[in-house]
Amino acid sequence: SQQGEEDPQALSIQEGENATMNCSYKTSINNLQWYRQNSGRGLVHLILIRSNEREKHSGRLRVTLDTSKKSSSLLITASRAADTASYFCATDGSGANSKLTFGKGITLSVRP
Amino acid sequence: GAVVSQHPSWVICKSGTSVKIECRSLDFQATTMFWYRQFPKQSLMLMATSNEGSKATYEQGVEKDKFLINHASLTLSTLTVTSAHPEDSSFYICSARGQGGSYEQYFGPGTRLTVT
């Protein structure tokens, strides 16, 4: 069953603008990860944030995690046309048998 | 970074035949591999988790006799879709997790299966 719920489901912005995507989840987690998928391709791991972290940066990406609200956000700054893709959040539970549970995904379109 | 490959990248087969998809970790040993299915414009749904040398654990609703998983070595897992039907047409993606307690999974590029 899916746990993550991203919003919005689709986002269209102009190149150079920032894109903010949100993810909410239901159960406790060990970490939360964001992935990108270009149409018809595999997943690219973007960033992992652990449950004891509140914010993490990687290049133009900024991820926040609020465990009290069970939510995370992914901010892409100064977007580029090449950022056009689907973005998924995935939650990872605790323990050796943990597995990723993906949200429904957000389709981001960056207009040149 | 860690690389996971899948073969084939796409396959077309006739209804009733079986198809095998391979997932390999190229530069690390994967104690656990995961198989996902993704229908068009939908998210990834976990089908099963396989640990090297033991039977796969299937998610609820996934038929283990239809989707045979073999994780024979630390670098190879295979998914066989038996007696394929058009509704099995999908994008199948594997991922692998290494040893040492890391939670990061490395994803393969996916295999597009079309059953005619």
Side-chain angles (χ1 to χ4, degrees):
Chain A
S1 61
Q2 289 180 306
Q3 162 153 248
E5 286 278 343
E6 294 98 336
D7 80 86
Q9 290 192 344
L11 181 62
S12 180
I13 60 174
Q14 198 72 36
E15 200 165 30
E17 294 180 339
N18 296 341
T20 299
M21 291 167 270
N22 302 301
C23 168
S24 60
Y25 57 93
K26 296 176 183 173
T27 62
S28 61
I29 62 171
N30 177 284
N31 64 76
L32 185 144
Q33 303 177 35
W34 284 91
Y35 290 84
R36 184 185 75 218
Q37 184 181 36
N38 289 82
S39 182
R41 310 291 289 271
L43 270 72
V44 174
H45 181 264
L46 295 177
I47 199 163
L48 179 154
I49 186 165
R50 300 186 193 284
S51 59
N52 61 353
E53 297 176 312
R54 291 296 166 257
E55 188 171 311
K56 207 162 181 181
H57 297 253
S58 176
R60 293 184 295 114
L61 305 180
R62 173 177 168 256
V63 168
T64 62
L65 179 64
D66 187 334
T67 53
S68 66
K69 295 181 179 177
K70 291 186 168 57
S71 67
S72 172
S73 67
L74 171 67
L75 169 68
I76 303 175
T77 60
S79 64
R80 304 167 182 168
D83 294 328
T84 295
S86 292
Y87 291 81
F88 297 90
C89 71
T91 53
D92 196 355
S94 302
N97 296 321
S98 67
K99 54 190 179 185
L100 288 178
T101 303
F102 284 83
K104 294 180 181 177
I106 299 169
T107 301
L108 173 66
S109 299
V110 181
R111 303 186 301 274
Chain B
V3 178
V4 174
S5 71
Q6 278 184 244
H7 177 80
S9 56
W10 60 270
V11 57
I12 301 173
C13 71
K14 291 186 185 292
S15 202
T17 61
S18 295
V19 174
K20 181 185 283 188
I21 302 169
E22 293 185 349
C23 176
R24 292 181 186 273
S25 56
L26 298 184
D27 50 2
F28 69 102
Q29 292 186 324
T31 51
T32 306
M33 287 185 168
F34 304 86
W35 286 95
Y36 297 85
R37 181 167 55 183
Q38 184 181 33
F39 291 109
K41 299 193 186 300
Q42 294 189 26
S43 187
L44 279 74
M45 297 299 293
L46 180 65
M47 299 175 68
T49 302
S50 74
N51 291 297
E52 185 265 340
S54 62
K55 288 185 179 179
T57 302
Y58 290 80
E59 294 298 301
Q60 196 171 10
V62 178
E63 300 174 58
K64 56 184 165 185
D65 293 332
K66 179 168 183 61
F67 299 100
L68 302 179
I69 291 172
N70 185 356
H71 192 161
S73 76
L74 285 171
T75 59
L76 173 65
S77 176
T78 61
L79 167 68
T80 301
V81 182
T82 63
S83 187
H85 289 128
E87 55 264 33
D88 298 325
S89 298
S90 188
F91 194 51
Y92 292 87
I93 304 175
C94 73
S95 70
R97 187 163 64 201
Q99 301 166 309
S102 168
Y103 291 103
E104 191 161 343
Q105 290 184 28
Y106 303 96
F107 283 80
T111 296
R112 173 78 57 197
L113 169 64
T114 302
V115 184
T116 61

